[in-house]
Amino acid sequence: MALSAGTRRTVACLLVGLGALLIVAALLIPTYTVGKLAKTPLDLEITTIATNQPGEESLVLDSKSLTAPEGAAKIDSNVPLVSQRFLTVEEPSDATEMTVQAGQTLRRIDKQGDTGLLTATIDRVTIDRKTGEPVDKNPNGSIAVTVNKELQPVADPVQHTGLQYRFPIGTEAKTYPYFDLNARKTFDINYVGEAEINSMKVYHFQQTIPATNLNDVVPAPTNKLTFPAAKWGVPGEGDITMSRWYTNTRDVWVEPETGTVIKGGEQLHLFYARSGDKPEVTALKSHIVFDENTIESQIAVAKENIDKLSLYGRIMPIVLGVLGVIALIVGVFLGVRGGGSTPAPARSGGPLSQRPGGTAPAAGGSRRVDNDPPTEQINITKP
């Protein structure tokens, strides 16, 4: 059934309005929603596990050998190591900033209980939820490596700079500043190249930490020791004081769309020496890398975020934009047609328009067909 002119105009207005609304939504969704997705969620909980690489050197100083009455320092080889980090979000956190807390332990699993614990730290830092970089406050974080008599962590205020636990959405193939927890300083982490991990494209970054005197970082008792040369196992007589030094080569593989760290590895080397350029007694040397379960878990997180970014950043805007254009075109078309005039149909029995050469109907109501010859009038008047 055909629509009346008034109805067509109403439908046209509705379609034009709907089309404009859909087009506006298509333009705003990527800006608003993707901006929301670009923020680190406040319910973040991530556990990562890294282990030493099979077949590679893994050395650990037996600390008891340093205090033993006899014998030189003993270095254990082929030590199985596990590094575990549990990351959560703590207060203060709000719409723009969040406080991240990461508890991390490094343990040798060939010994039980506390005897196997090598290092333990609690790191807190307040970061921008979009960029992942620490906020511009002083201090913006703290690091705890010791406990008090009540076994509560003793946190030292530490100013953090650079990335640490996540990369920005839309990670670029460039150099970024990256904070090192042990040195408590920021060093460049350089883009190495593109790689693939379990069919996922990633960017590989690498950071080199130069030899750092840990006693200068934290003047803890274990970071500067004095023992006889024989105990250190080095040539010489008398007591020798050595500092604990730290170097590291850090590798990070990042999914660039979401900034998710898919894989991480560290080539740790801690040693005692009188100068950083000449290691004398190894404290720890090992190459630890995320295990396969951690890698798969991080890939799952990245894929979920990629799907969300694709849905709200591309698919929905395209669909809404196409529907909006279609509704707009149909609405304009109906509006143009609805605004024109429609000629009224001829009524039955109405007067016939004269054609050239034609005549009006006869008085009796019958009409002459144009093709009939005219009637001849005969004069019958008698003379």
Side-chain angles (χ1 to χ4, degrees), residues 185-205:
K185 291 178 61 177
T186 299
F187 302 90
D188 285 345
I189 188 165
N190 301 309
Y191 174 75
V192 176
E194 189 174 308
E196 189 174 283
I197 298 178
N198 297 354
S199 301
M200 173 168 281
K201 184 187 78 171
V202 294
Y203 284 174
H204 179 196
F205 295 89

Side-chain angles (χ1 to χ4, degrees), residues 31-86:
T31 303
Y32 179 77
T33 307
V34 174
K36 291 288 186 181
L37 293 175
K39 293 182 179 181
T40 306
L42 293 177
D43 59 350
L44 193 67
E45 284 191 4
I46 298 176
T47 299
T48 59
I49 297 175
T51 58
N52 62 293
Q53 294 301 281
E56 295 190 33
E57 192 174 45
S58 186
L59 307 175
V60 177
L61 172 65
D62 184 354
S63 58
K64 290 184 178 181
S65 67
L66 286 176
T67 56
E70 296 181 359
K74 178 185 176 186
I75 312 299
D76 295 332
S77 59
N78 301 318
V79 178
L81 298 176
V82 172
S83 175
Q84 184 171 359
R85 184 176 67 200
F86 182 55

Side-chain angles (χ1 to χ4, degrees), residues 50-58 263 286-291:
T51 58
N52 62 293
Q53 294 301 281
E56 295 190 33
E57 192 174 45
S58 186
K263 181 180 177 181
S286 188
H287 183 197
I288 57 175
V289 181
F290 282 5
D291 66 8

Side-chain angles (χ1 to χ4, degrees), residues 138-159:
N138 192 0
N140 55 21
S142 65
I143 298 175
V145 294
T146 60
V147 295
N148 56 24
K149 294 180 180 179
E150 289 74 30
L151 300 181
Q152 297 296 321
V154 178
D156 299 323
V158 176
Q159 189 70 8

Side-chain angles (χ1 to χ4, degrees), residues 2-13 334-342:
L3 299 176
S4 65
T7 302
R8 281 199 299 270
R9 282 192 294 270
T10 301
V11 173
C13 290
L334 286 177
V336 171
R337 292 202 59 185
S341 59
T342 304

